[in-house]
Amino acid sequence: MDRKQVADWIAGYERVWRTPGTQGLAALFTEDASYQQGPYWTPVVGLPAIAQMWEKQRKGPDEVFQMTGEIVAVDGDTAVARQEVRYGDPVDQEYRDLWVMRFADDGRCRSFEEWPFWPGQQPTT
């Protein structure tokens, strides 16, 4: 993978999130992919399970959000990106995520791991 391929994959992820249904996931993830929503969460494994989780997590393809980010590193089949997602207009929820992605030879993701953070998580002093 190179930075352009990773950027194209991330753009595809956002496009599929904004599209009704889950058919587009097959272009993003391998059939046996794992998707871990947090560092200590049990991974969701397999395209059907990812599709089910996907539909439960989003409010629908018309959900209002802005997503920005940057690719931090690409090394072989592994990439790390920093993403910021702001939901609502006005914004009522935001996340800053690190995404760790491992890709198959065909460019689809075989392992996706999120490290989500949101306002208010800072420990008290």
Side-chain angles (χ1 to χ4, degrees), residues 24 88-89 91 103:
D89 184 20
V91 174
F103 294 94

Coordinates of all heavy atoms in Angstrom, one line a residue, residues 24 88-89 91 103:
G24 N -21.7 -1.9 -0.1 CA -20.4 -1.3 -0.4 C -19.2 -1.8 0.4 O -18.1 -1.6 0.1
G88 N -23.4 16.2 13.5 CA -24.5 17.2 13.8 C -24.2 18.5 13.2 O -23.0 18.8 12.8
D89 N -25.2 19.3 13.1 CA -25.1 20.7 12.6 C -26.2 21.5 13.4 O -27.3 21.5 13.0 CB -25.3 20.9 11.1 CG -25.1 22.3 10.7 OD1 -24.5 23.1 11.4 OD2 -25.6 22.6 9.6
V91 N -22.6 20.9 15.8 CA -21.9 19.7 16.2 C -22.4 19.4 17.6 O -22.3 20.2 18.5 CB -20.4 19.9 16.2 CG1 -19.7 18.7 16.8 CG2 -19.9 20.1 14.7
F103 N -4.0 -4.3 5.3 CA -4.6 -4.6 4.0 C -4.2 -5.9 3.4 O -3.1 -6.3 3.5 CB -4.3 -3.4 3.0 CG -4.9 -2.1 3.5 CD1 -4.2 -1.2 4.2 CD2 -6.2 -1.8 3.1 CE1 -4.7 0.0 4.6 CE2 -6.8 -0.6 3.5 CZ -6.0 0.3 4.3

